[in-house]
Amino acid sequence: MTIKAVLFDFSGTLFRIESTESWLRATTTEAGLALPEAELIQSAERLESAGALAGGAAPTAPLPDDLAALWAVRDRSAEAHRAAYTGLSRQVPLPDPRLHDALYDRHMTPAAWRPYPDTAEVLGALRARGVAVGVVSNIGWDLRPIFREHGVAPYVDAYVLSYEHEIQKPDTRLFALACDALGVAPQHTLMVGDDRRADGGAADLGCAVHFVDHRPVAERPDGLRPVLDLIG
């Protein structure tokens, strides 16, 4: 099978969100709040357990019924995404209630994300080989500025974002939209992601699928390079 296009997931595949502690520290600093170090670390740990950082760890405890229902459809709209994650954040008391929305706003900024060390290299190599590249993400906001700020937007031919279509992976319709946008049949398309359930849905459409580990940036220096071997 000849691969003519590669679809990539965003979070945990091409980019990684900052740590929960860094997220909280940057947000409180921007708000002009100085939390005692022990309180900041404890609050960061509680926010992580709550799953309040989009792109970070999932909630570790059962959710209240209202939040559980919202969590299931969080990537279908910008409103649901914000409500779900600020709802999780509000499970953790913070010194200023406005911090919950400020934390959500912080996670959408380029400063909160880092590309994996081989992201630019692999995307650039695919472009050089004439392979089309798409980004297919379950997300509630526009990630294009992240790609532009980190210098890799020129390598991406199409973005298919769940909230813009009200469809979440693993629904095959989202992958089909990406294949159509690139003008490549699913049988000639490779999907690369870190979530075996969500990203694995591409296989039901007929795409090849390759998984990477969702790990901190420093711990995964070359996780994307095998994609180039799969292209041939």
Side-chain angles (χ1 to χ4, degrees):
M1 178 177 67
T2 301
I3 298 297
K4 299 179 180 179
V6 180
L7 307 178
F8 289 94
D9 174 52
F10 167 56
S11 176
T13 300
L14 294 175
F15 283 80
R16 169 82 183 211
I17 191 69
E18 65 187 331
S19 70
T20 310
E21 182 182 327
S22 170
W23 175 56
L24 179 59
R25 191 181 300 277
T27 305
T28 54
T29 298
E30 178 67 22
L33 295 174
L35 271 65
E37 186 67 12
E39 181 181 343
L40 186 142
I41 291 173
Q42 182 182 49
S43 294
E45 290 173 349
R46 294 183 67 186
L47 286 165
E48 182 154 352
S49 295
L53 176 55
T60 58
L63 301 178
D65 290 344
D66 57 337
L67 267 180
L70 196 56
W71 178 259
V73 297
R74 65 192 181 280
D75 296 313
R76 292 186 186 172
S77 72
E79 296 76 16
H81 197 268
R82 177 180 283 271
Y85 282 102
T86 55
L88 292 170
S89 175
R90 289 188 174 94
Q91 306 302 299
V92 179
L94 294 174
D96 186 333
R98 292 174 295 182
L99 282 173
H100 300 292
D101 276 307
L103 284 166
Y104 185 86
D105 292 340
R106 162 73 187 181
H107 105 278
M108 295 187 289
T109 65
W113 294 88
R114 290 177 60 193
Y116 281 94
D118 55 350
T119 291
E121 172 194 338
V122 170
L123 294 182
L126 291 173
R127 172 54 57 89
R129 297 184 188 185
V131 177
V133 170
V135 172
V136 183
S137 178
N138 277 352
I139 199 165
W141 49 274
D142 186 5
L143 51 71
R144 295 171 182 87
I146 309 296
F147 284 75
R148 290 196 293 268
E149 181 69 21
H150 289 282
V152 293
Y155 304 129
V156 180
D157 299 294
Y159 298 88
V160 178
L161 311 181
S162 61
Y163 84 102
E164 293 181 337
H165 301 280
E166 300 182 352
I167 303 169
Q168 296 178 177
K169 296 181 290 186
D171 192 318
T172 56
R173 290 177 295 170
L174 204 64
F175 304 108
L177 286 167
C179 291
D180 289 345
L182 297 176
V184 178
Q187 292 74 19
H188 297 292
T189 303
L190 172 68
M191 175 67 206
V192 181
D194 67 296
D195 188 319
R196 279 161 172 74
R197 177 180 177 274
D199 299 314
D204 294 331
L205 188 66
C207 300
V209 180
H210 175 72
F211 295 109
V212 295
D213 293 328
H214 187 157
R215 299 173 64 185
V217 167
E219 296 178 13
R220 212 196 75 191
D222 54 6
L224 292 169
R225 290 196 182 108
V227 170
L228 300 178
D229 295 329
L230 294 172
I231 299 301

